[in-house]
């Protein structure tokens, strides 16, 4: 069973481990800073094995921007990302947010497919947005309300 709850300061070490498996990992320092952002919304996904995923977004009313949704490699394709996104959307609706936007690497076929399956549409692109490795960003949007 997956439990979704607000992210706590004590979750940072576990989240940093999950982040280390990604192409664009956030450092512990950056994660600590994210906890201080007043207009941020952050959730973790927890199972009996511990924290297996997390997400972070910022509110820019009437929109929100999803910065991260990351799932531990061993826990992928088990509904963790869907659970995180569902919980985030419920919170955004509660706060009267109308749209959720995000960027995804153009080369990230799994990510693009996931977001499209969750009702996001590509609305733009940002050439050269990512480095290490270099890649374009595709901008996706989902209507919340």
């Amino acid at each position: 069973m997956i439990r979704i709850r607000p992210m706590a300061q004590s979750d940072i070490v576990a989240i940093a481990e999950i982040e280390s498996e990604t192409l664009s990992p956030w450092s512990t320092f950056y994660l600590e800073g994210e906890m201080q952002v007043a207009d941020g919304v952050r959730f973790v996904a927890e199972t009996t094995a511990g924290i297996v995923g997390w997400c972070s977004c910022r509110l820019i009313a009437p929109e929100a921007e999803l910065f991260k949704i990351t799932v531990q490699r061993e826990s992928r394709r088990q509904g963790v990302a869907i659970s995180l996104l569902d919980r985030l959307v419920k919170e955004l609706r509660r706060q009267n947010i109308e749209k959720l936007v995000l960027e995804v690497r153009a080369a990230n076929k799994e990510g693009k497919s996931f977001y499209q399956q969750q009702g996001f549409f590509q609305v733009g692109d940002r050439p050269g947005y990512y480095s290490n490795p270099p890649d374009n960003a595709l901008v996706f949007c989902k209507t919340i309300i």
Side-chain angles (χ1 to χ4, degrees), residues 60 102 127 131:
I60 312 152
L102 61 92
S131 59

Side-chain angles (χ1 to χ4, degrees), residues 47-95:
T47 67
T48 55
I51 294 173
V52 296
W54 82 290
C55 68
S56 177
C57 88
R58 300 259 175 93
L59 306 179
I60 312 152
E63 297 181 358
E65 183 173 0
L66 179 62
F67 286 128
K68 275 284 188 168
I69 186 165
T70 306
V71 176
Q72 180 182 57
R73 192 170 283 128
E74 303 85 47
S75 299
R76 293 181 185 159
R77 301 199 177 278
Q78 296 177 23
V80 176
I82 290 171
S83 296
L84 282 164
L85 188 58
D86 286 349
R87 178 64 181 90
L88 178 61
V89 167
K90 285 178 185 168
E91 177 61 21
L92 296 178
R93 281 188 182 127
R94 189 185 73 74
Q95 296 196 36

Side-chain angles (χ1 to χ4, degrees), residues 5-136:
R5 63 168 175 79
M7 180 179 160
Q9 189 76 30
S10 59
D11 299 327
I12 289 177
V13 171
I15 292 169
E17 271 187 50
I18 294 169
E19 280 294 306
S20 72
E21 302 174 352
T22 69
L23 276 177
S24 302
W26 284 12
S27 67
T28 302
F29 177 79
Y30 197 84
L31 291 166
E32 288 171 352
E34 187 65 15
M35 290 297 296
Q36 307 308 313
V37 175
D39 61 353
V41 177
R42 297 160 293 274
F43 292 106
V44 296
E46 209 171 27
T47 67
T48 55
I51 294 173
V52 296
W54 82 290
C55 68
S56 177
C57 88
R58 300 259 175 93
L59 306 179
I60 312 152
E63 297 181 358
E65 183 173 0
L66 179 62
F67 286 128
K68 275 284 188 168
I69 186 165
T70 306
V71 176
Q72 180 182 57
R73 192 170 283 128
E74 303 85 47
S75 299
R76 293 181 185 159
R77 301 199 177 278
Q78 296 177 23
V80 176
I82 290 171
S83 296
L84 282 164
L85 188 58
D86 286 349
R87 178 64 181 90
L88 178 61
V89 167
K90 285 178 185 168
E91 177 61 21
L92 296 178
R93 281 188 182 127
R94 189 185 73 74
Q95 296 196 36
N96 296 314
I97 298 297
E98 297 172 7
K99 293 180 184 177
L100 179 59
V101 296
L102 61 92
E103 290 99 11
V104 64
R105 285 179 177 271
N108 184 348
K109 291 179 182 163
E110 288 181 358
K112 291 186 296 188
S113 176
F114 170 77
Y115 291 119
Q116 289 169 332
Q117 290 171 9
Q118 301 308 310
F120 287 82
F121 295 93
Q122 185 179 341
V123 295
D125 62 277
R126 295 190 172 133
Y129 184 81
Y130 292 105
S131 59
N132 229 10
D135 199 357
N136 295 342

